[in-house]
Amino acid sequence: MRTPYVAGNWKMNLDRRAARDLAVAVRDHAVSGVDVGLFPALVHLDEVTRATAGSHVRVGGQNCSDEQEGAFTGEVSARMLKDIGATVALVGHSERRHVYGESDEFIARKVRRALEDGLEVMLCVGETIEERRDGRTEAVCQAQLTAGLEGLDHAALARVSVAYEPVWAIGTGETASPEQAGAVHSYLRGVLSGAFGDEVGAAMRILYGGSVKPTNAAELMAVPDIDGALVGGASLRPELFLPIIDAAS
Ligand code: 13P
């Protein structure tokens, strides 16, 4: 059975004090049977890992370098993330793909680097509205998923989760319906089974992201192949994020 997983991607929001206060609120919220993750901005990671140390909350970077170390100005390595207490890296978020032009190949290198250097990975995939209108949702998500995970062995795959985030639903208030999201999740699970075997397909968690709110979280996460939520805007306010965690349990 897959444990539900609810994570907040804070993106480029909050100041240090607000990040700490929010992390404490999440830490102190009792949960049962749900994995909870936070992805603060890099400069707040240290504060948040300290605030949540020893708790059930896992903390991750929103991005990490594909390189291990060296002359890469402005980059942060998986080892550095791990060193300050992060345990997971978000890789391939649509804002990285579409705003910063990260390719499937580049994202795959980041996935491998993060896993090799001891982090878990949450790999994001998702189609744009044009791709959906063109009937290419499955092809796009399949290509992003298989490119991102290519060549990984089962031990590495056990440390990967996937977030399906349709680009048209991110920050727009427009949510994929449970039927729309569920269809893609089931398809992606089939892709995982086909590529890596049924065991991997059955075990890997696939989260949904895109305008998740307390009002739609329960019905989305009630879909059998939707194993949790990656939450943007609503993760910035405890009164919105904590009920979403509760909806997963
Ligand atoms: P919103 O929840 O603000 O739509 O953002 C989703 C997202 O991009 C999470 O990574």
Side-chain angles (χ1 to χ4, degrees), residues 4 17 39 43 62 89 94 99 104 127 130 140 147 166 183 192 231 239:
R17 175 96 189 254
F39 294 97
V43 290
Q62 296 173 11
S94 71
V99 183
D104 281 343
E127 81 287 2
E130 294 79 19
V140 168
L192 290 168
V231 186
E239 70 273 24

Side-chain angles (χ1 to χ4, degrees), residues 70-236:
F72 302 102
T73 300
E75 290 293 289
V76 169
S77 70
R79 282 183 175 179
M80 291 169 174
L81 294 174
K82 191 157 185 260
D83 185 45
I84 58 160
T87 58
V88 50
L90 194 63
V91 181
H93 190 278
S94 71
E95 287 145 21
R96 302 299 320 172
R97 292 178 188 269
H98 296 291
V99 183
Y100 298 101
E102 294 191 2
S103 67
D104 281 343
E105 294 68 30
F106 188 45
I107 288 163
R109 288 206 301 277
K110 291 183 179 210
V111 169
R112 281 196 294 275
R113 173 60 55 214
L115 291 169
E116 276 171 24
D117 287 342
L119 294 177
E120 296 178 357
V121 164
M122 187 178 290
L123 173 67
C124 303
V125 303
E127 81 287 2
T128 64
I129 191 63
E130 294 79 19
E131 290 163 342
R132 175 164 280 265
R133 286 197 189 119
D134 290 350
R136 292 172 51 220
T137 296
E138 291 187 348
V140 168
C141 294
Q142 187 260 353
Q144 292 177 350
L145 185 65
T146 53
L149 302 182
E150 196 186 332
L152 298 182
D153 63 20
H154 283 206
L157 290 164
R159 293 189 289 123
V160 174
S161 57
V162 172
Y164 167 58
E165 299 206 307
V167 180
W168 49 273
I170 294 178
T172 60
E174 195 178 338
T175 317
S177 68
E179 295 72 27
Q180 284 175 316
V184 178
H185 281 235
S186 302
Y187 173 75
L188 291 177
R189 198 171 298 292
V191 169
L192 290 168
S193 296
F196 303 109
D198 287 342
E199 205 180 313
V200 172
M204 195 172 292
R205 291 184 289 190
I206 308 178
L207 285 63
Y208 169 79
S211 299
V212 176
K213 307 178 208 55
T215 47
N216 59 24
E219 60 172 357
L220 283 160
M221 292 190 282
V223 176
D225 275 316
I226 300 182
D227 304 316
L230 179 58
V231 186
S235 72
L236 298 171

